[in-house]
Amino acid sequence: MKIIMLGAPGAGKGTQAKMIADKYGVPHISTGDIFRANIKNGTQLGIEAKKYMDQGMLVPDELTVKILLDRVSKDDCSRGYVLDGFPRTIPQAEVLENALNKIHDQIDYAIDVDVPDENIINRMSGRRACLSCGATYHVVHVPPKAEGICDRCGNELILRDDDKAETVKKRLVVYHEQTQPLIDFYTKREILRTVNGTVDMNVVFEEIVKILGEKA
Ligand code: ADP
Ligand code: AMP
């Protein structure tokens, strides 16, 4: 089962991708998490990616595509994966499609988690992230059991640098310009499915399970 999560920054892609990964036993692959791990470890890739991420811009395709193709070629991806935050541009989608075509494979579904821009700023200012295991919380909607501590791994939760209101506004502009065209791209391939992302996260997940049901 190969799934792509689409949606604006903060729509709940990561939240749903983790639930899908847990239920169906496939890895959750977030390019944002990979970049943040590289920033934390001070790698050259991290230093380069941070310049773009802090400004709310996309990391160039040349850097992003390579790390994604390396990741999906690992053994744990043999039964599929959930991609969260990739592709974010048409060229990225084309590279992925060509790579899969070469091995006579394809993406099963692109799931668009639909949340209007008005809801996004509130979501992002309340988001708290764990840089160790990638879990995300919301101070009001999805609070951790102990304030500031990750339920999953016990590490400290942070407010991401790029979740400040000004950066989120820029990320939304970038989303509409560069990422939203993917909705058309996957509609044409007849694999786009849209879910309402404004309801409780468990209700969103029920909708997704209905879509994926026959693939389980
Ligand atoms: P994305 O991966 O699309 O950027 P996240 O999954 O990190 O988004 O979610 C953004 C924020 O919104 C997080 O703080 C998360 O806990 C919260 N969130 C996710 N889904 C919902 C939901 N259905 N209702 C309310 N808040 C949600
Ligand atoms: P995310 O964790 O998915 O919200 O991503 C955080 C940031 O990482 C984005 O705002 C981009 O700067 C960068 N990023 C993550 N995935 C990609 C991608 N597929 N293409 C380009 N930049 C990306």
Side-chain angles (χ1 to χ4, degrees):
M1 174 164 68
K2 296 185 175 65
I3 309 292
I4 287 171
M5 302 305 292
L6 293 176
K13 301 181 294 296
T15 302
Q16 297 300 324
K18 281 182 201 75
M19 294 167 91
I20 295 170
D22 287 348
K23 182 173 170 71
Y24 296 99
V26 290
H28 162 218
I29 300 177
S30 154
T31 37
D33 282 353
I34 296 173
F35 289 136
R36 281 184 288 279
N38 276 275
I39 292 171
K40 201 177 166 197
N41 294 330
T43 68
Q44 196 52 46
L45 172 66
I47 292 166
E48 193 59 25
K50 188 171 171 20
K51 290 184 207 159
Y52 299 92
M53 291 167 74
D54 283 353
Q55 292 179 61
M57 289 161 63
L58 295 186
V59 178
D61 289 344
E62 306 83 79
L63 291 177
T64 311
V65 159
K66 190 182 176 313
I67 59 156
L68 190 277
L69 291 183
D70 282 353
R71 179 65 188 90
V72 296
S73 68
K74 298 261 185 322
D75 286 349
D76 66 334
C77 292
S78 60
R79 287 187 54 247
Y81 41 76
V82 193
L83 300 185
D84 160 20
F86 186 99
R88 262 184 158 100
T89 63
I90 297 277
Q92 290 181 13
E94 287 171 344
V95 170
L96 177 64
E97 188 173 65
N98 291 337
L100 288 171
N101 281 346
K102 273 190 198 146
I103 54 168
H104 308 289
D105 205 351
Q106 60 191 17
I107 295 294
D108 296 299
Y109 291 112
I111 299 177
D112 178 33
V113 184
D114 188 27
V115 174
D117 287 7
E118 305 85 85
N119 302 25
I120 294 289
I121 304 272
N122 163 278
R123 286 257 183 120
M124 305 297 251
S125 58
R127 169 156 69 182
R128 295 295 178 272
C130 174
L131 290 187
S132 295
C133 75
T136 49
Y137 301 85
H138 188 281
V139 288
V140 178
H141 306 301
V142 194
K145 290 194 185 89
E147 199 185 318
I149 304 293
C150 179
D151 291 352
R152 280 189 165 200
C153 73
N155 279 294
E156 186 196 358
L157 299 177
I158 58 135
L159 172 62
R160 276 168 46 175
D161 287 345
D162 59 347
D163 281 351
K164 286 177 286 189
E166 333 68 275
T167 318
V168 171
K169 282 185 196 144
K170 169 75 184 164
R171 291 170 68 195
L172 278 171
V173 171
V174 168
Y175 167 76
H176 290 299
E177 282 177 6
Q178 300 194 51
T179 307
Q180 210 171 18
L182 291 173
I183 294 189
D184 249 18
F185 182 94
Y186 288 114
T187 301
K188 286 193 183 120
R189 279 143 183 85
E190 300 184 353
I191 58 169
L192 186 88
R193 301 290 183 275
T194 303
V195 295
N196 174 6
T198 63
V199 293
D200 181 90
M201 60 188 241
N202 295 307
V203 178
V204 181
F205 187 57
E206 276 170 28
E207 256 195 87
I208 293 177
V209 170
K210 272 190 216 150
I211 294 166
L212 302 183
E214 72 257 35
K215 292 277 172 193

